[in-house]
């Protein structure tokens, strides 16, 4: 009898519908922001095998029998943080958990974010609980070229499992954060000279002495990929003069450049539009001092009105708890002239576009990753809470934040 029961159980498991798999789940919300069109009243998202299988009004979107259903007042795509150092910079703010910067040399493009990323760092969990499901993280400011960035999901237990794109961009920095009057570079001209020298060396053809048979140094491999436009150069630049230096570099070498920070980008609307670059804008509430003394709460609205592609970010913070939350930064941008729907897109669909991940994340569309953030009210209202987070079909958080 026991053997027969075991046999029947095995048969039932074999023919069980895919809807009962661990990564199959549905979300139903009074208001569903898909970021693919107008919000849907009483909307449903069905996720199978970690991917979105159906999305639409509840009246016409069937939820498979037996599938777990999460409910919310409002649901959005999982939030996308377009620039952070979380996972490399830890919340304890002590040398042992600060891997976002190596100060041994001013130019180190060969340093890989994935080698320093700790997916179990408490700040990763903190961001996930606030609906952030995808992060563009890596080496931060402090050197002319501090290293590489990566795109990761915020749920995995290893860096390899978390990484979607192990090498997303090369992080360069212009202005005071990358100046060192004693060890160098001590001036802005020297910063650009170092970048131009590296790109010029990588662009030079191999000599006739058999050098082409020798493997490239790690840094040379990276620069050749930048020149071939296989990976963009992300330049942290807040002053208008530093932004213009980045644009000149783009023109001289024909490379892809992304502007990070951009505190004074509102002064260069025509130049940015002509260059066709994306701006990963500083956190709306970033402190206005140093090279950000001329920052404006309204820059996001200004860039949107000008048609310049941009996204919001949490950025880098030198003090505990070492990170901001993009949800609040978007809310503040909405309070300063950016339409609420555009503020939401700046941390979902537009952010995904900015980091080259629009085919997988940033909106709720059939075939995309099953990443959903659930709220008990308007996501941009400070009094609202995140009630659950789904990543790749997994319920990654049930904590109310």
């Amino acid at each position: 009898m026991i053997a027969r029961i075991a046999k029947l159980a095995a048969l039932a498991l074999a023919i069980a519908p895919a809807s009962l798999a661990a990564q199959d789940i549905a979300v139903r919300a009074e208001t569903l922001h898909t970021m693919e069109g107008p919000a849907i009243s009483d909307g449903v998202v069905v996720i199978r095998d970690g991917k979105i299988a159906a999305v639409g009004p509840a009246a016409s979107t069937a939820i498979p029998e037996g599938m777990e259903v999460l409910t919310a007042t409002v649901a959005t795509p999982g939030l996308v943080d377009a620039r952070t150092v979380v996972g490399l910079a830890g919340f304890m703010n002590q040398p042992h958990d600060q891997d976002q910067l190596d100060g041994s040399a001013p130019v180190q493009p060969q340093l890989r974010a994935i080698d320093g990323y700790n997916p179990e760092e408490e700040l990763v969990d903190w961001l996930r609980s606030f609906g952030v499901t995808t992060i563009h993280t890596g080496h931060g400011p402090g050197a002319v070229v501090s290293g590489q960035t990566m795109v990761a999901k915020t749920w995995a237990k290893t860096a390899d499992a978390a990484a979607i794109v192990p090498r997303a961009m090369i992080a360069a920095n212009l202005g005071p954060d990358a100046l060192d009057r004693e060890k160098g570079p001590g001036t802005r001209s020297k910063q650009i000279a170092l970048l131009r020298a590296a790109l010029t060396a990588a662009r030079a053809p191999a000599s006739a002495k058999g050098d082409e048979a020798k493997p490239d140094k790690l840094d040379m491999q990276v620069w050749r990929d930048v020149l071939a436009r296989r990976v963009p150069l992300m330049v942290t630049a807040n002053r208008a003069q530093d932004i213009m230096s980045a644009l000149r570099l783009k023109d001289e070498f024909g490379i892809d450049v992304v502007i990070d920070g951009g505190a004074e980008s509102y002064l260069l609307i025509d130049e940015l539009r002509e260059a066709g670059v994306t701006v990963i804008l500083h956190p709306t509430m970033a402190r206005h001092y140093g090279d950000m003394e001329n920052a404006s709460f309204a820059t996001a609205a200004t860039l949107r009105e000008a048609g310049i592609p941009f996204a919001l970010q949490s950025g880098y913070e030198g003090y505990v708890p070492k990170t901001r939350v993009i949800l609040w930064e978007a809310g503040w941008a909405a309070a300063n002239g950016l339409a609420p729907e555009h503020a939401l897109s700046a941390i979902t669909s537009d952010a995904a576009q900015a980091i080259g991940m629009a085919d997988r994340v940033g909106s709720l569309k059939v075939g995309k990753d099953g990443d959903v953030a659930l709220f008990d009210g308007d996501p941009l209202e400070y009094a609202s809470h995140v009630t659950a987070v789904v990543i790749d079909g997994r319920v990654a958080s049930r904590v109310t934040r």
Side-chain angles (χ1 to χ4, degrees):
M1 184 66 158
I2 293 177
R4 186 179 177 212
I5 291 173
K7 185 176 180 180
L8 289 173
L11 178 61
L13 183 62
I15 64 175
S19 61
L20 298 181
Q23 294 182 26
D24 291 357
I25 197 166
V27 174
R28 185 169 181 174
E30 295 175 20
T31 301
L32 180 65
H33 294 281
T34 67
M35 310 314 295
E36 291 284 341
I40 299 173
S41 296
D42 192 12
V44 168
V45 181
V46 177
I47 302 169
R48 288 182 180 273
D49 297 324
K51 298 288 185 179
I52 297 175
V55 57
S60 58
T61 306
I63 299 176
E65 186 176 353
M67 181 176 282
E68 180 182 1
V69 181
L70 301 179
T71 59
T73 303
V74 179
T76 72
L79 307 184
V80 179
D81 191 338
R83 171 61 164 145
T84 182
V85 293
V86 164
L88 281 79
F91 89 105
M92 295 188 72
N93 204 33
Q94 297 297 314
H96 74 270
D97 69 350
Q98 301 302 296
D99 281 337
Q100 76 279 1
L101 178 66
D102 184 299
S104 62
V107 178
Q108 300 189 82
Q110 69 274 20
L111 303 185
R112 304 190 307 178
I114 195 171
D115 296 324
Y117 182 72
N118 177 11
E120 296 195 88
E121 162 57 40
E122 293 188 44
L123 289 181
V124 176
D125 176 72
W126 173 253
L127 292 185
R128 180 176 62 245
S129 71
F130 282 102
V132 179
T133 58
T134 301
I135 56 175
H136 174 222
T137 189
H139 291 87
V144 176
V145 180
S146 55
Q148 302 174 17
T149 64
M150 63 185 283
V151 178
K153 291 295 182 74
T154 56
W155 67 267
K157 296 300 182 182
T158 69
D160 297 273
I164 306 174
V165 181
R167 186 188 67 178
M169 300 185 192
I170 308 304
N173 304 275
L174 297 177
D177 284 341
L179 290 176
D180 190 327
R181 304 293 182 183
E182 295 182 1
K183 295 186 296 184
T187 66
R188 283 175 162 85
S189 295
K190 186 60 178 288
Q191 289 177 336
I192 293 297
L194 288 172
L195 290 171
R196 293 183 68 247
L199 289 165
T200 299
R203 188 167 61 180
S207 72
K209 297 180 180 180
D211 287 350
E212 66 276 4
K214 298 179 182 178
D216 283 338
K217 293 181 179 180
L218 289 178
D219 59 341
M220 193 63 67
Q221 292 176 15
V222 175
W223 289 122
R224 287 184 173 156
D225 285 344
V226 171
L227 288 169
R229 302 177 69 182
R230 286 189 283 268
V231 58
L233 186 67
M234 179 180 64
V235 182
T236 301
N238 283 301
R239 294 285 191 187
Q241 67 185 109
D242 295 322
I243 296 172
M244 285 304 304
S245 292
L247 298 185
R248 282 194 297 273
L249 203 68
K250 176 185 186 297
D251 289 342
E252 180 179 357
F253 292 94
I255 60 177
D256 291 330
V257 165
V258 174
I259 300 298
D260 169 45
E264 296 182 6
S265 57
Y266 60 86
L267 299 175
L268 300 170
I269 294 300
D270 293 339
E271 291 82 359
L272 290 168
R273 187 189 293 114
E274 182 179 354
V277 298
T278 294
V279 177
I280 301 180
L281 189 62
H282 61 81
T284 311
M285 294 182 284
R287 292 167 294 169
H288 297 181
Y289 76 101
D291 67 338
M292 291 190 62
E293 65 181 350
N294 296 320
S296 168
F297 292 142
T299 300
T302 301
L303 294 178
R304 180 77 193 196
E305 184 178 358
I308 295 172
F310 80 96
L312 291 173
Q313 59 166 302
S314 63
Y316 168 75
E317 297 298 336
Y319 61 92
V320 175
K322 299 295 287 187
T323 189
R324 295 176 180 270
V325 178
I326 52 172
L327 185 61
W328 303 335
E329 303 300 327
W332 199 252
N336 285 272
L338 188 63
E341 62 270 23
H342 297 154
L344 186 58
S345 67
I347 57 173
T348 54
S349 55
D350 290 345
Q353 188 71 42
I355 63 174
M357 296 303 302
D359 60 331
R360 286 192 58 173
V361 301
S363 67
L364 302 176
K365 182 180 180 181
V366 173
K368 288 194 174 185
D369 294 359
D371 299 347
V372 187
L374 289 75
F375 300 84
D376 61 7
D378 183 344
L380 301 180
E381 288 289 345
Y382 188 75
S384 297
H385 303 87
V386 178
T387 57
V389 182
V390 177
I391 304 177
D392 293 333
R394 300 171 175 85
V395 182
S397 174
R398 298 179 187 269
V399 176
T400 297
R401 289 286 193 193

